[in-house]
């Protein structure tokens, strides 16, 4: 694959280039439905594309699309917020970066990009038949990686990274600590502090840590009783703080709440100072050992409700964890279906009655780290979903 020019994709280019095909070669003969209306409204009715939802073609625009020039309606806005940072096991985003939907997706060939685009968006916004031409190419560079900003009707927004952050800050019903994504050439290796459980294997398999690299990129601590702020500041700074309660059936020297309180204490030490733009992420995982009172305390201390991540195999619930985190998409109901308290109670009883040695269920949260690829350097594109 040819090298990608090291140009700033957020800089406004002086040229107007169409990638594949051209939606300007001919005007639509009649309006279609949905997204087929977009080209007709823009070219025939001379409607401003900012007044049309790029995702569905609706004229009931709620706000601007954060990545490309055009509008977005309220229902599509909600879908966008839920799905943009969802990833599949292969490390690519699960849905189209334009409409956050789509069944058949085109994957960007830039090894530093994880974005995908559905056939319908490409054909309606770039030009009819463009998706087939792109699909036939051995390596295709997507609309957010190209050195020019325009392809047909699809125009990348200037400074789209800051536009995306502003979109989340403004539109999210339950505001989440959202950081501006980082251009590829500015991404640094992630620095991790892992409490009570060593997640180096998982981060290495996802490409965030090089095999055999400097172990200083990840520091693991089992007992933090004597750890003070000065220690964390000397070891850091850190980009990711991870902590977890022991799994059910695991013998430990502390009550479950101890892990929560110690995690919260070190979280205060590891956070960047007020107003710092540096991306900083954290995750606390409960392996179903915190009681209801402890869960309420965790939600109050961590300032959010947990997401329940189930492990369903063969139609039956095998495992589950509760997660508090500021990593994008952790709380998305599209990715993590909530498990009822009755199911959790049954799961707990079944696991407690089992005499099999419990294992850390890290694989349930492994893919939750994938959105960090928008912020930190990674070293591998061949991801594995199993441990």
């Amino acid at each position: 694959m040819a090298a990608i020019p090291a140009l700033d994709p957020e800089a406004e280019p002086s040229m107007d280039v169409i990638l594949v095909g051209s939606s300007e070669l001919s005007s639509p003969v009649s309006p279609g439905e949905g997204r087929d209306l977009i080209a007709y409204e823009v070219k025939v009715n001379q409607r401003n594309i900012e007044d049309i939802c790029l995702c569905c073609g609706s004229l009931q625009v709620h706000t601007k699309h954060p990545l490309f020039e055009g509008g977005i309606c309220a229902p599509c806005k909600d879908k966008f917020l839920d799905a943009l940072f969802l990833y599949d096991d292969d490390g690519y985003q699960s849905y189209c970066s334009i409409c956050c939907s789509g069944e058949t997706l085109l994957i960007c060939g830039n090894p530093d990009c994880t974005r995908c685009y559905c056939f319908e968006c490409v054909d309606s916004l770039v030009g009819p038949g463009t998706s087939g031409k792109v699909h036939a190419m051995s390596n295709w560079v997507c609309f957010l990686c190209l050195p020019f900003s325009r392809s047909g009707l699809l125009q990348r927004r200037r400074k789209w990274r800051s536009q995306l952050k502003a979109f989340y800050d403004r539109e999210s019903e339950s505001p989440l600590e959202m950081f501006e994504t980082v251009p590829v050439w500015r991404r640094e290796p992630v620095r991790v502090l892992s409490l009570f459980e060593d997640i180096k294997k998982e981060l290495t398999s996802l490409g965030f840590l090089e095999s055999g690299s400097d172990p200083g990129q990840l520091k693991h601590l089992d007992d933090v009783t004597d750890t003070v702020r000065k220690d964390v500041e000397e070891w850091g700074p850190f980009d990711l703080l991870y902590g977890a309660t022991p799994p059910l059936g695991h013998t430990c020297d502390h009550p479950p709440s101890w892990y929560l309180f110690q995690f919260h204490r070190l979280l205060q030490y590891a956070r960047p100072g007020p107003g710092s733009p540096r991306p900083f992420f954290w995750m606390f995982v409960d392996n179903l050992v915190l009681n209801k009172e402890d869960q309420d305390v965790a939600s109050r201390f961590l300032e959010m409700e947990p997401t329940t991540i189930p492990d369903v195999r063969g139609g039956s619930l095998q495992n589950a964890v509760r997660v508090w985190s500021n990593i994008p998409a952790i709380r998305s109901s599209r990715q993590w279906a909530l498990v009822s308290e009755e199911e959790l109670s049954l799961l707990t009883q079944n696991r407690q009655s089992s005499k099999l040695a419990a294992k850390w269920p890290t694989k349930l949260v492994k893919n939750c780290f994938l959105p960090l690829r928008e912020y930190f350097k990674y070293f591998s594109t061949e991801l594995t979903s199993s441990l």
Side-chain angles (χ1 to χ4, degrees):
M1 175 177 162
I4 307 301
L7 300 178
D8 185 351
E10 296 180 352
E12 187 68 29
S14 59
M15 56 184 175
D16 182 7
V17 185
I18 309 301
L19 174 62
V20 179
S22 172
S23 59
E24 297 182 355
L25 295 179
S26 60
S27 297
V29 295
S30 62
E33 296 181 354
R35 277 178 281 185
D36 290 338
L37 274 172
I38 299 177
Y40 185 86
E41 289 292 335
V42 171
K43 296 176 181 180
V44 177
N45 292 339
Q46 300 296 301
R47 187 182 295 271
N48 189 332
I49 198 169
E50 298 282 18
D51 298 327
I52 308 172
C53 177
L54 289 186
C55 305
C56 70
S58 170
L59 303 182
Q60 302 298 316
V61 168
H62 170 75
T63 188
K64 293 181 178 181
H65 194 286
L67 302 181
F68 299 97
E69 290 189 3
I72 188 169
C73 66
C76 290
K77 177 264 295 183
D78 293 337
K79 183 168 60 177
F80 192 95
L81 287 169
D82 280 345
L84 182 63
F85 283 100
L86 296 185
Y87 284 73
D88 288 334
D89 290 344
D90 59 5
Y92 288 94
Q93 292 187 336
S94 303
Y95 298 100
C96 173
S97 291
I98 299 173
C99 69
C100 280
S101 185
E103 296 182 358
T104 306
L105 301 175
L106 300 166
I107 297 175
C108 180
N110 181 354
D112 290 314
C113 182
T114 62
R115 301 193 182 276
C116 306
Y117 300 81
C118 71
F119 278 36
E120 188 173 356
C121 275
V122 172
D123 286 339
S124 62
L125 295 171
V126 181
T130 301
S131 63
K133 296 177 183 178
V134 170
H135 185 62
M137 297 172 66
S138 57
N139 287 293
W140 169 70
V141 180
C142 83
F143 309 107
L144 291 177
C145 292
L146 287 168
F148 46 86
S149 67
R150 182 182 175 93
S151 297
L153 295 178
L154 198 62
Q155 174 81 31
R156 182 176 63 230
R157 285 206 185 277
R158 183 176 175 83
K159 298 188 180 299
W160 62 266
R161 298 179 189 279
S162 58
Q163 295 277 359
L164 179 61
K165 173 174 168 39
F167 178 84
Y168 268 81
D169 291 343
R170 182 179 66 250
E171 301 294 340
S172 180
E173 293 182 0
S174 53
L176 179 67
E177 192 175 16
M178 177 73 185
F179 300 99
E180 186 174 330
T181 59
V182 178
V184 173
W185 54 90
R186 286 174 45 199
R187 295 175 191 169
E188 299 291 337
V190 65
R191 296 160 294 186
V192 182
L193 178 58
S194 181
L195 307 180
F196 325 127
E197 176 186 6
D198 191 349
I199 57 172
K200 183 174 183 179
K201 178 181 178 181
E202 288 71 38
L203 292 180
T204 300
S205 69
L206 293 175
F208 288 109
L209 300 176
E210 282 187 297
S211 298
S213 63
D214 182 359
Q217 293 182 4
L218 183 145
K219 186 170 184 62
H220 168 233
L221 298 174
D222 278 321
D223 191 342
V224 296
T225 304
D226 298 326
T227 302
V228 298
R229 181 183 294 273
K230 182 179 179 181
D231 296 325
V232 176
E233 292 176 348
E234 289 180 350
W235 297 329
F238 293 104
D239 305 304
L240 171 65
L241 175 65
Y242 175 88
T245 61
L248 287 169
H250 184 85
T251 303
C252 55
D253 298 328
H254 307 284
S257 58
W258 180 88
Y259 297 89
L260 165 63
F261 294 133
Q262 294 298 339
F263 175 84
H264 183 261
R265 182 172 67 88
L266 268 68
L267 177 60
Q268 309 316 306
Y269 300 163
R271 283 185 187 274
S276 172
R278 179 170 66 86
F280 174 77
F281 299 96
W282 56 268
M283 179 190 292
F284 182 73
V285 178
D286 170 33
N287 292 297
L288 305 185
V289 300
L290 293 179
N291 60 33
K292 184 62 169 65
E293 181 179 354
D294 290 337
Q295 293 172 45
D296 292 342
V297 171
S299 297
R300 187 169 69 253
F301 280 17
L302 301 175
E303 300 181 348
M304 67 174 61
E305 294 298 317
T307 294
T308 300
I309 303 178
D311 179 15
V312 180
R313 286 175 286 175
S316 62
L317 188 64
Q318 303 293 322
N319 202 349
V321 292
R322 296 186 189 91
V323 179
W324 290 261
S325 178
N326 73 334
I327 296 177
I330 286 288
R331 294 183 293 172
S332 172
S333 59
R334 287 179 170 269
Q335 185 172 8
W336 312 127
L338 293 178
V339 181
S340 68
E341 289 300 320
E342 292 79 13
E343 289 175 315
L344 288 178
S345 176
L346 178 61
L347 172 64
T348 301
Q349 294 173 16
N350 290 341
R351 293 179 67 189
Q352 286 179 329
S353 64
S354 174
K355 295 183 179 180
L356 296 176
K359 296 182 179 180
W360 291 102
T362 316
K363 65 179 181 179
L364 290 186
V365 300
K366 176 182 174 183
N367 281 8
C368 295
F369 296 122
L370 284 173
L372 301 183
R373 301 183 81 182
E374 297 284 348
Y375 301 90
F376 304 107
K377 185 177 181 180
Y378 52 94
F379 304 94
S380 171
T381 56
E382 297 181 1
L383 306 181
T384 56
S385 59
S386 60
L387 298 180

